[in-house]
Amino acid sequence: MSNHEYVPKSKFGKWFNDRLPLLTLGNHLTDYPTPKNLNYWWTFGGILSFCLIVQIITGLTLAMHYIAHADLAFESVEHIMRDVNYGWLIRYIHANGASMFFLAVYIHIFRSLFYGSYKSPREIIWIIGIIIYLLMMAAAFMGYVLPWGQMSFWGATVITNLFSAIPFIGEGIVQWLWGGYSVDNPTLTRFFTLHYLIPFLILGLVVLHIWALHVPGNNNPIGIDIKKPSKDTVPFHPYIVIKDGFALLMFTIVFAFFVFYSPNILGHADNYIEANPMVTPAHIVPEWYLLPFYAILRSVPDKLMGVVAMLSAILVLAALPWLDTSKIRSAIFRPLYKQFYWILVIDVLILGYVGAMPAEGLYLLIARVATAYYFIHFLIILPVLGSKEKTIPLPLSITEPVLEESLSPPTIKKKESLN
Amino acid sequence: MKNILKILCLTILLLVESHQIKAAEKVELLKTDWSFKGFFGKFDRGSLQRGYQVYTEVCASCHSMKYLSYRNLSEKGGPEFSLEQAKAIAASFEVTDGPNDDGEMFERPAKLSDKFVMPYKNVKEAQAANGGAYPPDMSVLVKARSGGADYIYSILLGYEDPPSGVILDDGVYYNKYMYGNNIKMSQPLYDGSVEYSDGTDATEEQMAKDVTTFLMWAAEPHLEARHQMGFKAILYLIILTILVYFSMKRIWSRIESEV
Amino acid sequence: MSEKKVKRREFLYTASYAVGAVGAGAVVWPLIDQMNPDASVKALASTEVDVSSLEPGKAITVLWRGKPVFIKRRTPEEIAEARAVKMEELKDPQKDEDRAKDPEWLVMLGVCTHLGCVPLNDKGDYNGWFCPCHGSHYDTSGRIRKGPAPTNMEVPKYEFVNINTIKIG
């Protein structure tokens, strides 16, 4: 990571850099050799960093006015919406920003699934990513509790009650989480504290995530290893900076439409009703980005096994680099895997849909089939595919496909023998 | 492969089917042209002022609006009563203040900075006075019901005789659009319930529209500012995106020329 | 590359940066403004006080913008005493007429200008107020006469909205 060849131009820069090599780091990031064939699916890492910063800044400014007490929380949020200068704007950015954050993270994850970015030597990047995803879900769950609406309260009740499924110590753990005999003020204040903390943990993990990435370098759409730097790479600045910037602006336009014209469409009307421990809403649903896991949880009739299934759904992702036995990274060259990939996408969308529906009748049946298929994809289909599928020959380099027409027959034969 | 696709298509079809069936069970809400809907939606000042009159004269005896302050009535983006009018409205209500130097609580006329006076001291008193049903606070009611303004409007106009065979308990009324069809509030609006100070004919539909518009503002007092800022923000973003797009093309053209 | 192309390229980049900077500024403002007093605080920016029951020689203390305000109804003797003081004797020269438009009513922030303690009424060597924290003495016009305080007690904006009511702020 350290490039001792870089020498700062100014005297002060050199003096400072000798003591803390920030300028060397800056130079490393600016010049970082990036594959030049990256497509727009690769811009979501930058978009995610933007989302994290936006959430932290809007969160900080909201925290200046929010009161984390059961008697005052809902009122303090209304105070922010009505009286605080631009309070309504900051609140809507924060609430919709959470949804945008998850939209981006799902696209980012599915990019990795398609192009095999989780495969060797990038397993640790992938696992750090899974941990970041888990922390995001924890932060989002706790953040949703803070306005202390009906969904805040009852969502908290349902999800914390899950821990009672743990044999012997389950009940004790739930009371420990609650700080009482039900979700109440102690629960709210600790959720506020942890909600404030987690984004900074995520920030640290993102640094590790990028650091780990910079060892092998970025994957690319055709999934072949490239040398960096080479004619196959471009310096991060200005090429990737401007491309990420353009993608980020498009993303922000979508974000702006939600914030300014439909700020409540992704939320639930019941959360504008103050929390009432005596009245349970007709349908308790989490926010859309947690729906697939909610569907998996409810598809298993046994409480403990439902929790196990939900956790396994995430753990199975962590094991992915070892479950997928294929030596080929990118789905572009794995036509059979590509089919199963799209079926998985549809499966996850179906899980999300049934997660919002009552867990009965046809919906429950579909949820069970979709849950079973999810695990079949990772635990059976992927390991088998690795050995059984016929893959398309890989090109030798990123620029090579362009020159393919001008290659002589011996060269093409040589290529095929390498695969 | 073909089989997988077949099963997939079937599933999607089934899902869509069941959704249609569910949708048919739900009644279509009444619609009217809301001035605040759409990208350039604004509030009709006259409607807001009339709506405030309906709220005060019809609803406020049971429904609180505890997150609103009297000063909101004169602030930009709302009914925009003059400062004097808003002061006078406030002064027509009594609030409890104190303790004074004798240690006692006392009544005084409300000021602009005071929150709307509540009809009941607390939720329990409200329930006791209304057959066990709590008349919900209306500060954010429009956002607290799916269907929003259309739902509120429909409920207000949705009272009808129960279908044959349906017997209702005492104090329960039949409403076509209420979730579960049973509502404990009797029909609140009849033609002429209110005599509008601006002379508008107070039909049921007119009052329902005005008070719902007022409730929409109460729930979203910064709606107009939000729409205006949104227009500027998105226009700005589009311009910047175009500039950045061409910059990107310009920068990347250096690469293409090397190949 | 031709001169014209270079100029066009530079203009494009400059324009992008400039437009971007405008956006960055627009984003920063709400984040700063949200810390300014909000609408509910600004609504309490002024307070009205009923002084109809205040007798001459007596003073009350009211809360205004979170700080104590002394309202004293002065006796003719106290007024005369305040008017008789020579400017040379004052650390912070100020005429009593400039501090109390209606000489009978003295309205000022009950905050010692030294380090912010609340001075005590009817105490001190000058028949006015005495601050126990570090020994500042104020006269019947609330002016600093002895002690470490640098300036007179501040007179806020106020007016009589009717014969019984003072609006402060």
Side-chain angles (χ1 to χ4, degrees), chain A residues 40 74-75 78 81-83 88 92 234 239 246 249 260-261 263-264 269 272-274 343 346 353 366, chain B residues 4 8 15 19 39 66-68 71 139-140 143-144 218 220 222 226-227 230-231 241 248 251-252 255:
Chain A
Y40 282 99
F74 192 93
E75 189 179 327
E78 278 305 306
M81 294 294 286
R82 291 165 192 279
D83 294 330
W88 56 271
Y92 277 149
V234 287
Y239 295 92
F246 171 68
L249 282 169
F260 291 103
Y261 294 113
N264 292 299
Y272 277 104
I273 302 173
E274 295 183 52
I343 297 172
I346 293 172
Y353 179 77
I366 293 171
Chain B
I4 297 174
L8 219 66
L15 275 171
H19 194 72
F39 293 133
K66 59 187 177 173
Y67 295 121
L68 262 71
R71 60 179 164 85
S139 309
V140 287
K143 291 198 283 192
E220 284 271 316
H222 299 285
R226 175 162 58 81
H227 284 175
F231 176 74
T241 306
M248 177 175 73
I251 289 172
W252 277 83
I255 302 291

Side-chain angles (χ1 to χ4, degrees), chain B:
Chain B
M1 191 54 226
K2 275 213 181 88
N3 285 324
I4 297 174
L5 280 173
K6 278 202 199 125
I7 296 171
L8 219 66
C9 290
L10 210 67
T11 318
I12 293 174
L13 239 108
L14 278 167
L15 275 171
V16 172
E17 272 286 316
S18 67
H19 194 72
Q20 303 287 46
I21 295 169
K22 266 232 147 187
E25 284 168 1
K26 267 172 64 174
V27 193
E28 274 274 332
L29 293 173
L30 293 173
K31 303 256 191 277
T32 184
D33 53 327
W34 299 112
S35 63
F36 49 80
K37 283 258 155 75
F39 293 133
F40 303 102
K42 278 203 260 284
F43 287 116
D44 178 333
R45 304 276 159 251
S47 187
L48 285 179
Q49 295 196 1
R50 289 192 299 273
Y52 174 70
Q53 190 182 344
V54 174
Y55 166 73
T56 311
E57 292 181 22
V58 179
C59 325
S61 49
C62 301
H63 289 277
S64 57
M65 224 180 208
K66 59 187 177 173
Y67 295 121
L68 262 71
S69 306
Y70 290 108
R71 60 179 164 85
N72 296 141
L73 294 171
S74 65
E75 283 165 359
K76 198 160 173 290
E80 290 181 11
F81 287 107
S82 71
L83 205 59
E84 294 312 315
Q85 283 174 305
K87 264 196 205 162
I89 290 171
S92 66
F93 296 95
E94 291 256 305
V95 290
T96 311
D97 200 352
N100 57 22
D101 289 330
D102 294 321
E104 312 237 309
M105 305 303 281
F106 58 92
E107 298 284 301
R108 62 158 175 79
K111 298 189 277 213
L112 287 175
S113 55
D114 288 316
K115 293 260 176 4
F116 276 24
V117 166
M118 309 218 291
Y120 302 106
K121 283 198 284 287
N122 49 57
V123 174
K124 288 255 156 68
E125 197 192 20
Q127 278 177 315
N130 288 281
Y134 169 62
D137 180 274
M138 288 182 152
S139 309
V140 287
L141 190 64
V142 169
K143 291 198 283 192
R145 298 288 183 272
S146 74
D150 292 333
Y151 178 78
I152 304 290
Y153 180 72
S154 303
I155 296 263
L156 289 172
L157 298 174
Y159 285 85
E160 44 184 53
D161 291 325
S164 57
V166 176
I167 314 284
L168 294 167
D169 290 336
D170 260 350
V172 178
Y173 306 88
Y174 186 85
N175 189 293
K176 191 170 166 205
Y177 302 98
M178 177 78 182
Y179 184 76
N181 292 122
N182 285 9
I183 189 170
K184 287 195 99 161
M185 172 176 72
S186 61
Q187 182 170 339
L189 299 173
Y190 293 92
D191 286 341
S193 287
V194 158
E195 202 182 303
Y196 277 135
S197 44
D198 70 353
T200 311
D201 189 23
T203 62
E204 257 182 75
E205 286 81 11
Q206 183 65 48
M207 288 187 289
K209 187 172 185 196
D210 290 334
V211 79
T212 305
T213 303
F214 175 73
L215 289 182
M216 182 73 216
W217 166 77
E220 284 271 316
H222 299 285
L223 180 142
E224 290 185 355
R226 175 162 58 81
H227 284 175
Q228 284 157 10
M229 194 186 288
F231 176 74
K232 287 188 237 165
I234 291 176
L235 186 63
Y236 165 81
L237 285 172
I238 289 174
I239 292 172
L240 184 60
T241 306
I242 292 170
L243 283 171
V244 170
Y245 174 78
F246 285 111
S247 301
M248 177 175 73
K249 285 286 171 215
R250 186 57 66 80
I251 289 172
W252 277 83
S253 67
R254 303 178 204 166
I255 302 291
E256 267 72 90
S257 56
E258 283 167 20
V259 173

Side-chain angles (χ1 to χ4, degrees), chain A residues 312-383:
Chain A
S312 305
I314 304 167
L315 290 173
V316 92
L317 281 176
L320 183 56
W322 296 276
L323 291 170
D324 182 359
T325 52
S326 169
K327 295 277 180 290
I328 309 294
R329 282 198 193 107
S330 169
I332 291 179
F333 301 99
R334 303 178 62 190
L336 196 52
Y337 171 74
K338 203 201 282 203
Q339 312 269 29
F340 284 110
Y341 170 86
W342 288 112
I343 297 172
L344 179 72
V345 169
I346 293 172
D347 183 67
V348 170
L349 289 172
I350 290 174
L351 279 171
Y353 179 77
V354 293
M357 295 295 125
E360 54 199 26
L362 182 63
Y363 294 125
L364 186 57
L365 175 64
I366 293 171
R368 289 182 168 155
V369 169
T371 300
Y373 183 79
Y374 177 89
F375 286 103
I376 289 170
H377 173 95
F378 287 103
L379 295 171
I380 299 174
I381 294 177
L382 286 193

Side-chain angles (χ1 to χ4, degrees), chain A residues 88 144 230 284 326:
Chain A
W88 56 271
Y144 194 65
S230 68
I284 302 177
S326 169

Side-chain angles (χ1 to χ4, degrees), chain A residues 285-321:
Chain A
V285 258
E287 288 285 85
W288 69 268
Y289 39 80
L290 299 178
L291 287 174
F293 297 104
Y294 199 55
I296 293 175
L297 172 75
R298 294 187 311 175
S299 61
V300 182
D302 179 72
K303 186 156 97 168
L304 177 60
M305 292 319 290
V307 177
V308 168
M310 189 177 71
L311 290 175
S312 305
I314 304 167
L315 290 173
V316 92
L317 281 176
L320 183 56

